[in-house]
Amino acid sequence: MALVANRRQFLMAGSALAAATGLGALPAFAQDTRLRLIFWGSQARADRTYGVSDLYTGEHPGLAIEGEFLGWADYWPKLATQTAGGNAPDIMQMDYRYIGEYARRGTLAPLDQYVGAALDTSSFDQDQLHNGTIDGKLMGISLGVAAGAAVYNSKALADAGIELDPMGWTYEDLKAKGAAFAQSTGGAVALAPDGSGVELLFENWLRQQGKALYTAEGQPAFTAEDVTAWFALWADLRDAGAIVSPDEQAIDTGKLETSPLVRGKAAMNFTTSNQLVAYQTLVPDALGIAAYPATKPGSTGGHYRNSSQYFAISAGSAAPEQAVEFINFFVNSPAAAALLGVERGVPASSAMRAAITPDLDERSQQAVRYIDDLGAIAGPVPPTPPAAAGEIEVALKTKSQEVAFGAQSPQDAGPAFFDEVVATLGRAA
């Protein structure tokens, strides 16, 4: 008889199992397999993830999956420390900014050898497979299709008499309607957060102008003047009262609970489409979803169908086959798809989309329709970001706060940030 230790049982396993083994009632511990899984996200994501791992371990006696989740800001330093120490989890959630760096440093295991056997990708969208392919090797399995999006409080906007064209509103709309919204709330609530430190929003703004964040060679595809113009745009919105104050924005640590939207200080947040479901668990009022603002009416090309996250396997995993089999269950099992919904994005597998879409709740259906509606305004997926892209994302947030608090002008911050990007990329090359 094999020993079954699922997630919850594993946490309590130590002494109890030792005692039981001592009585000769259970088989040798060496016969069992333990997988470590790490991911970032909210409690809602953790509940769904652990629901799937419990379902899987219940069907696989002798396998235990030990899960751990953190907020975005804490996740990457911890994973970097574990990886540097040779103690990386077997399965790790990856972001598009980091997967290239981890893959090229040899810390991830290529998955190509498992495709068609333990790993079924036959119903996956080709762009999602492309997103997880680094230098010709499949290094990550997309956990969902997502895109940049503004999640907004429908009731708050209605109460203020504000209407937005969700797929065609502009930065000029944000300024004008934001000022009107602030006036209606007496300044207590702003229409939007300060998005000047949101890298995905900056990239969207660049792409609408035919530019990009990085070239295929991993160099900046924007100029210092672009950064200056970006910070000046947000300074103008700040002066108009369309966005939250620097003090309110600084409280946002990246956890959903700290966002101005959840704290009732703003009526929207600039995030990704899959986060609609998680935000709805934290905001009592019904939420809507809109595209990022357009630079001008009819502007296109800023958005793209990204992979919200990937599952990748550590190159040092002692049980890569079992890790692949769990990932395959995670992305190809209808039972798992039903538990996961679209919290990590619309399933990358067309078969799983067809299986769960009819039973999704209204908010999840909204997220699916949003991805469908992007077709008219979306552009191509950009190249894999270079090493240190994650470091640069953090640097943009820091520089945006310096501008917001008046420590630097947009004219000084633009060249300073650009120089920092060039230096960071140079060190990482």
Side-chain angles (χ1 to χ4, degrees):
M1 182 180 73
L3 171 66
V4 178
N6 65 19
R7 172 182 63 86
R8 297 188 182 88
Q9 292 166 334
F10 187 82
L11 296 175
M12 301 183 292
S15 59
L17 289 181
T21 304
L23 294 172
L26 295 172
F29 204 51
Q31 293 178 350
D32 301 321
T33 299
R34 178 179 71 117
L35 294 176
R36 290 169 54 218
L37 164 66
I38 190 169
F39 57 98
W40 73 84
S42 64
Q43 184 62 51
R45 175 172 299 168
D47 292 343
R48 292 167 188 264
T49 304
Y50 291 150
V52 174
S53 65
D54 284 352
L55 182 63
Y56 187 74
T57 53
E59 297 176 357
H60 293 78
L63 175 68
I65 299 176
E66 179 185 4
E68 178 181 13
F69 76 100
L70 300 91
W72 171 267
D74 297 326
Y75 180 81
W76 296 105
K78 177 154 189 175
L79 183 59
T81 300
Q82 289 177 330
T83 302
N87 188 37
D90 300 277
I91 303 170
M92 56 187 88
Q93 189 170 283
M94 273 285 142
D95 178 73
Y96 76 99
R97 299 181 189 88
Y98 290 86
I99 190 169
E101 181 173 0
Y102 273 77
R104 288 166 179 151
R105 290 185 177 179
T107 61
L108 303 181
L111 304 175
D112 303 86
Q113 63 180 308
Y114 303 107
V115 174
L119 183 59
D120 181 8
T121 61
S122 60
S123 64
F124 264 55
D125 296 345
Q126 287 303 307
D127 62 355
Q128 297 303 299
L129 292 174
H130 171 80
N131 292 350
T133 300
I134 310 298
D135 298 334
K137 296 180 180 178
L138 183 63
M139 307 302 293
I141 292 299
S142 171
L143 302 181
V145 184
V151 172
Y152 62 88
N153 185 320
S154 301
K155 181 178 183 300
L157 266 64
D159 289 348
I162 300 294
E163 294 184 2
L164 289 178
D165 174 2
M167 302 307 287
W169 71 305
T170 66
Y171 279 99
E172 281 301 315
D173 292 333
L174 173 55
K175 181 179 179 181
K177 295 178 187 291
F181 184 90
Q183 186 173 15
S184 74
T185 65
V189 184
L191 177 59
D194 187 332
S196 58
V198 180
E199 180 217 53
L200 193 58
L201 190 60
F202 177 50
E203 180 189 41
N204 180 282
W205 178 81
L206 288 168
R207 283 167 57 94
Q208 290 187 57
Q209 302 171 76
K211 302 180 182 181
L213 206 51
Y214 301 109
T215 67
E217 294 73 33
Q219 296 302 307
F222 57 91
T223 65
E225 290 74 20
D226 291 325
V227 187
T228 296
W230 173 250
F231 286 141
L233 168 66
W234 287 93
D236 190 37
L237 293 168
R238 202 173 295 119
D239 291 343
I243 60 176
V244 298
S245 69
D247 288 328
E248 290 293 350
Q249 188 61 48
I251 296 173
D252 187 349
T253 63
K255 292 182 179 178
L256 271 58
E257 293 82 355
T258 66
S259 70
L261 171 63
V262 175
R263 290 186 291 111
K265 298 299 181 182
M268 69 170 59
N269 201 35
F270 299 114
T271 179
T272 51
S273 56
N274 59 297
Q275 295 283 41
L276 173 65
V277 175
Y279 273 112
Q280 190 62 83
T281 66
L282 299 172
V283 178
D285 297 332
L287 298 179
I289 187 167
Y292 285 162
T295 55
K296 59 184 179 182
S299 177
T300 62
H303 294 77
Y304 56 88
R305 283 167 44 98
N306 204 356
S307 299
S308 59
Q309 303 102 28
Y310 312 86
F311 268 166
I313 296 177
S314 167
S317 173
E321 292 84 4
Q322 288 89 340
V324 168
E325 289 169 1
F326 172 70
I327 292 175
N328 187 66
F329 179 83
F330 202 89
V331 298
N332 284 316
S333 162
L339 284 171
L340 295 168
V342 298
E343 195 277 331
R344 278 186 170 89
V346 178
S349 158
S350 58
M352 293 305 102
R353 284 200 298 275
I356 69 167
T357 299
D359 297 323
L360 291 176
D361 60 28
E362 171 55 24
R363 213 59 60 215
S364 298
Q365 294 276 4
Q366 268 188 288
V368 174
R369 286 196 297 272
Y370 177 75
I371 293 297
D372 290 341
D373 291 346
L374 270 184
I377 64 172
V381 176
T384 301
E391 185 179 344
I392 291 170
E393 183 223 1
V394 175
L396 177 63
K397 183 175 183 179
T398 301
K399 185 59 70 179
S400 74
Q401 291 178 335
E402 292 175 4
V403 176
F405 281 109
Q408 274 196 316
S409 68
Q411 290 71 27
D412 290 336
F417 178 72
F418 184 80
D419 290 345
E420 185 176 357
V421 170
V422 172
T424 302
L425 291 174
R427 288 197 304 272

